[in-house]
Amino acid sequence: MSHTSALSAADDGALARYAPGLVLVTVITASAYGLRHLPFLSVLSPMISAIFVGMVFANTVGFSPAANAGIAVAGKRLLRLAVALLGLQLTFMQLADIGIKGVLCAAAALSATFLATVALGKLLGVDRRLGMLLAAGTSVCGASAIAGANAAVGANDEDVSYAVACITIFGTAAMFLYPFLQALLNLAPQTYGMWIGLSVHEVAQVVGAGFQGGQLSGETAVVTKLARVMMLAPLVIGLSVVMRRSGQDRADGRASGPLVPFFILGFLALVVLNSSGLLDERLRAPVVSATPVLLTASMSALGLGTNFGKLKKHGFRPLLLSAFASLFIALVALLLVNLVP
């Protein structure tokens, strides 16, 4: 057999191995985007819808084991690529826009919430990995942070899905509740926007709640939120160090990766590139548009890998922990925006 024929056979073999799972992930992803056109479901981002659709499909209809390889690729490799590509949506100038006060408030709210959540999780007897995922999702940026943090934590798909479900519940509640609290607390538009950006979980939820207070509050909320997103990199690096020192095996059965995950290095490199202004917008714009789709596909894969039976074993304590974390970051952020000059 010639070299060319051997390569062709290898390509055909890879296609046959991954195609069933990738096609299924694509269908679930498309369904998630379709659901946002339905009443009541339009408030959920496709990423969130995707993990729920995947979970329901896997636990009711089911799928052939032949799909497992493609699902695994979408849930791991594609996810890391998508998180790295988030770097093209961030610049160091955005940090300058909110000033040193905004950056310090974001770092303080993130650090306090993460540490408090992990500590309470230990007291409640919540699995350590799940507690870390809930802490990351609440303190940084919801589902994306959970996915990124799991590269270091090494939890299984059920833990990831449970964490995303909790973040969705309380983040959505915050999106509807916060605009009513603005008038009650007599918050100025910029103060309200910073509070939203410091405490609401998902970027889409920040947009929904922030612009309810007007254009200024909405823009402030988004920029403040992006400052939190940028802190995903140091958080994941820190978690990698902690998990290595603990000597715990990964729950997902995979070998420990490098101390600094490669996708985090990619994330940081793309932030630097985007900040430099050297990247042609004609190249950047399509990638920025594709990144949420890749994240949604990854969430579809995680949903497909979730077993309801295993999910129920977690009980209500992680849900209680998530409620505490959401309330904690709301109060800490409110104190910071009112007390820090």
Side-chain angles (χ1 to χ4, degrees), residues 109-333:
L110 187 156
S111 302
T113 301
F114 187 90
L115 294 174
T117 303
V118 170
L120 182 61
K122 185 176 181 180
L123 290 176
L124 291 175
V126 174
D127 178 81
R128 185 187 184 205
R129 294 183 183 87
L130 178 54
M132 287 182 171
L133 295 183
L134 289 170
T138 305
S139 60
V140 187
C141 56
S144 299
I146 291 169
N150 194 47
V153 173
N156 54 41
D157 284 350
E158 282 73 30
D159 286 344
V160 176
S161 297
Y162 194 111
V164 170
C166 289
I167 292 301
T168 302
I169 292 169
F170 295 110
T172 302
M175 182 176 66
F176 288 111
L177 180 62
Y178 277 38
F180 292 103
L181 294 176
Q182 180 186 12
L184 183 65
L185 298 172
N186 194 29
L187 298 176
Q190 191 165 19
T191 301
Y192 170 72
M194 187 169 286
W195 181 43
I196 294 292
L198 289 176
S199 57
V200 177
H201 306 333
E202 291 281 341
V203 174
Q205 294 163 350
V206 167
V207 172
F211 281 95
Q212 289 295 314
Q215 188 70 22
L216 177 59
S217 64
E219 292 174 354
T220 303
V222 171
V223 174
T224 305
K225 177 64 175 179
L226 292 177
R228 282 169 68 196
V229 174
M230 202 172 291
M231 293 174 189
L232 175 62
L235 176 67
V236 173
I237 294 171
L239 285 175
S240 296
V241 173
V242 170
M243 296 307 291
R244 275 178 177 267
R245 288 182 176 176
S246 71
Q248 280 187 304
D249 293 331
R250 294 171 62 97
D252 59 9
R254 306 180 72 214
S256 296
L259 183 60
V260 182
F262 291 127
F263 75 96
I264 288 297
L265 293 176
F267 172 88
L268 292 172
L270 290 177
V271 172
V272 172
L273 177 61
N274 197 36
S275 300
S276 70
L278 299 176
L279 184 62
D280 192 320
E281 183 62 20
R282 290 173 296 180
L283 296 176
R284 175 185 171 276
V287 177
V288 169
S289 298
T291 300
V293 180
L294 297 180
L295 284 169
T296 301
S298 302
M299 291 297 142
S300 299
L302 289 174
L304 288 167
T306 300
N307 182 288
F308 277 158
K310 294 180 180 178
L311 202 60
K312 288 192 291 187
K313 291 180 181 179
H314 288 302
F316 286 98
R317 285 180 293 179
L319 188 65
L320 179 63
L321 177 61
S322 183
F324 162 81
S326 298
L327 180 61
F328 184 89
I329 196 170
L331 293 176
V332 168

